[in-house]
Every structure is written in C-alpha cells, then in structure tokens.
Amino acid sequence: MKHAMPSHPLDYPVCLRLEGRSVLLVGGGAIAEGRALAVLDAGARLRVIAPEATATLRRLAADGRLEWQPRSYKAGDVRGHHLVLAATDDVAVGRQVATEARDVGLWVNTADEPALCDFTLPSVGRRGPITVAVSSAGRAPALASHLRKTLTAQVTRHHIWLARLSGWLREHLPRGEGRQRLLKQVAVGDIGALLERGERKAAWARLRTELEHSKIPGETR
Ligand SMILES: C[C@@]1(CC(=O)O)C2=NC(=C\c3[nH]c(c(CCC(=O)O)c3CC(=O)O)Cc3[nH]c(c(CC(=O)O)c3CCC(=O)O)/C=C3\N/C(=C\2)[C@@H](CCC(=O)O)[C@]3(C)CC(=O)O)/[C@H]1CCC(=O)O
Ligand SMILES: NC(=O)c1ccc[n+]([C@@H]2O[C@H](COP(=O)([O-])OP(=O)(O)OC[C@H]3O[C@@H](n4cnc5c(N)ncnc54)[C@H](O)[C@@H]3O)[C@@H](O)[C@H]2O)c1
C-alpha cells in the first residue's frame, strides 16, 4: 500500500554545531534571552540587535560574551551571519527579518509565527552530553515542555557516565565491527548492566576480555 503524504509534514530534527559560527538574534526580551543563552552554550559568536535588552543580555554584552547593538532592526542586518533568530514583540519585524534572511539563503526562526520559520526550536533538557529534545511540530509547545521535563528526568547519572565512557572508547579504538559490538555492550548490554549495578571491577574485567577477544588494540591493563 502506498503511504499518503501527511498534509502537515513533520519537522526534521537536527543538532547544529554552532561553534565559531555567527548567529544574529533580533530582539532582547525574555524569549530572546533563552535563545541567546542556548546559542552561547553551543559556542556561537552572537550579535543581538534590539533597542531594549534584559539585564542578563546586557551583562553578557558588558562581559564581551556577545555583541549588543542597542537599536531597531534595519534592512540588510541579516547579512554576514550563518543563522538568524528573531524574537521581537512586533510581528512585522519578524516578517521583515524572515523575508530578508531567505532572500540571502539563510535559515531563520521567528519565535512568534511558525509559518515563517525555516526551523522550529524544540523543548530541550540537558544531562551531561545527553540532550533530550521534544518537538510538537508547532502544535503544542506547552505539551512539548511537559514531556521534555518527564523524559529528561529519566536520564540518570548512570546514562551520563555511560555516554562519557562510550565517548572515550570511540576516541581510543579504531572504527569497525569490533568497536560497534563493544559499544553496544557498554551502552545496552551486559557491561552496561554491571556498571548500572555499581560492579565496576567486574565491568572492567568484561571490557578487558572483550577488547582482547575482539582483537581491538586498546588499553588492556
Ligand atoms: C519548546 C519551546 C522552545 C523555545 O521556545 O525555546 C517553544 N515554545 C516553548 C514554550 C511555549 N511557547 C508558548 C507557550 C504557551 C502555550 C501556547 O501558546 O501553546 C509555551 C509554554 C510555556 O511557556 O510553558 C507560546 C507560543 N509558542 C509559539 C507561539 C506562536 C504560534 O504558535 O503562533 C506561541 C504563542 C505566543 C503568543 O500567543 O503570544 C511558537 C513556537 N514555540 C516553539 C517552541 C516552536 C514550536 C515547538 C514545538 O514544535 O513544540 C514555535 C513554533 C516557534 C519557535 O521555534 O519558537 C518552549 C518550551 C520551553 C521549555 O522547554 O520549557
Ligand atoms: N516561541 C515561544 O516559545 C514563545 C513563547 C512566548 C512568546 N513568544 C513570542 O516571542 C516574542 C518575544 O516575546 P518576549 O516575551 O521576549 O517579548 P518582550 O516584549 O519581552 O521583548 C521584545 C523585544 O523585542 C525588541 N524589539 C522590538 N522591536 C524591535 C525591532 N524593530 N528591532 C529589534 N528588536 C526589537 C524589544 O526591544 C525587546 O527587547 C513575542 O512575539 C511572543 O509572541 C514565543
């Protein structure tokens, strides 16, 4: 049977690597502040254009963490950036920013009009290197926020620890089937189960056996 195309397609989730990238944020209120903190966490270079800014945004500007231009948006401001976020209280400004960004091939999010967004922002929870993101494709932000809290609470210290261990192993072991099998065992197999029970010595011994067995060159002492 042929699948019918959904009348409202779902949004496509990605995790952007913004380190060193230039982001423009138009607006300086509470919503803009949340976006600013998130893109700064991702290592972006941030320019904020808004006549008024929250105390936190002003402090970040004073500390040199972002550049704040205390004025209204004007035509052409989108140029020279990699990503554009608009969060003002004026729908006409959101529209202007979105149109200009698209004209120069930039991806834009306006906090107030899903129809103008090239991408929407999910509700985000962080636990160590793990990100929980929930989107409702613009239909129910309050529900996305509620689900995000419930799901993030299920990510335990054990999962964070496993993610860090897995990251370390991926850095030190060569790619290949042996590494894939081992990493699955660490994440969801018996090695992970031993670690979850706090049996680190036994887990380490299993890991060492597995490294020797798989003939993966690695630290086996
Ligand atoms: C997830 C989160 C992330 C973030 O913003 O960082 C986010 N909204 C959050 C909360 C939230 N937003 C609103 C309420 C009140 C309840 C309600 O109105 O439903 C609550 C609930 C609350 O505050 O608890 C109002 C609202 N939101 C939008 C509109 C405009 C419209 O729909 O027309 C209006 C009406 C404004 C007005 O009436 O003035 C639009 C969008 N909001 C989105 C994201 C995108 C779709 C996300 C998705 O697909 O689920 C999208 C499309 C655009 C975008 O990408 O921003 C953040 C969770 C933070 C957290 O984790 O706690
Ligand atoms: N996506 C979401 O989750 C969500 C939730 C609630 C509200 N909203 C929408 O987000 C928008 C912002 O909300 P807020 O509470 O931060 O608003 P706010 O009133 O606190 O802040 C508005 C900001 O826009 C700036 N601004 C106004 N005109 C401007 C211009 N011409 N150029 C540049 N900056 C300008 C102001 O100086 C101010 O800093 C609203 O449209 C609101 O409907 C979105």
Side-chain angles (χ1 to χ4, degrees):
M1 202 176 75
K2 251 178 128 181
H3 286 289
M5 287 297 283
S7 53
H8 294 287
L10 295 172
D11 294 341
Y12 180 65
V14 296
C15 293
L16 294 181
R17 299 220 150 151
L18 290 181
E19 192 172 9
R21 301 259 174 184
S22 168
V23 176
L24 174 67
L25 174 61
V26 182
I31 300 294
E33 179 183 306
R35 278 136 171 75
L37 295 172
V39 299
L40 288 177
D41 274 350
R45 284 182 288 127
L46 178 62
R47 173 178 293 167
V48 176
I49 296 179
E52 307 284 338
T54 64
T56 299
L57 286 172
R58 292 199 308 268
R59 185 171 41 76
L60 288 166
D63 292 347
R65 301 273 317 278
L66 59 82
E67 180 204 348
W68 174 37
Q69 300 195 352
R71 60 174 177 82
S72 293
Y73 179 84
K74 62 175 170 23
D77 278 340
V78 292
R79 287 187 183 280
H81 299 278
H82 293 107
L83 198 72
V84 179
L85 306 170
T88 75
D89 51 358
D90 185 338
V91 179
V93 176
R95 286 201 188 120
Q96 184 189 358
V97 174
T99 308
E100 290 187 11
R102 289 221 188 112
D103 281 352
V104 293
L106 289 171
W107 292 70
V108 63
N109 170 277
T110 74
D112 53 0
E113 253 192 284
L116 294 178
C117 291
D118 291 317
F119 58 95
T120 57
L121 299 178
S123 180
V124 172
R126 306 269 195 195
R127 299 278 287 131
I130 294 172
T131 295
V132 174
V134 181
S135 160
S136 65
R139 288 154 177 87
L143 177 63
S145 174
H146 170 71
L147 284 172
R148 181 263 302 168
K149 285 176 195 149
T150 312
L151 296 172
T152 306
Q154 289 180 37
V155 180
T156 64
R157 287 167 59 116
H158 167 68
H159 296 127
I160 296 167
W161 203 84
L162 279 189
R164 295 208 164 112
L165 173 62
S166 175
W168 188 87
L169 289 166
R170 289 171 71 84
E171 257 178 46
H172 289 86
L173 300 176
R175 282 168 190 265
E177 270 180 36
R179 188 180 83 167
Q180 282 184 22
R181 203 174 40 245
L182 180 71
L183 292 177
K184 281 188 190 171
Q185 252 167 325
V186 167
V188 292
D190 56 346
I191 298 177
L194 285 169
L195 287 169
E196 190 158 26
R197 293 200 297 272
E199 296 178 37
R200 287 200 181 184
K201 255 189 166 170
W204 225 238
R206 277 283 299 114
L207 189 60
R208 199 161 48 195
T209 311
E210 206 45 52
L211 281 170
E212 281 159 3
H213 177 74
S214 318
K215 301 206 170 42
I216 305 174
E219 178 62 75
T220 53
R221 265 176 301 145

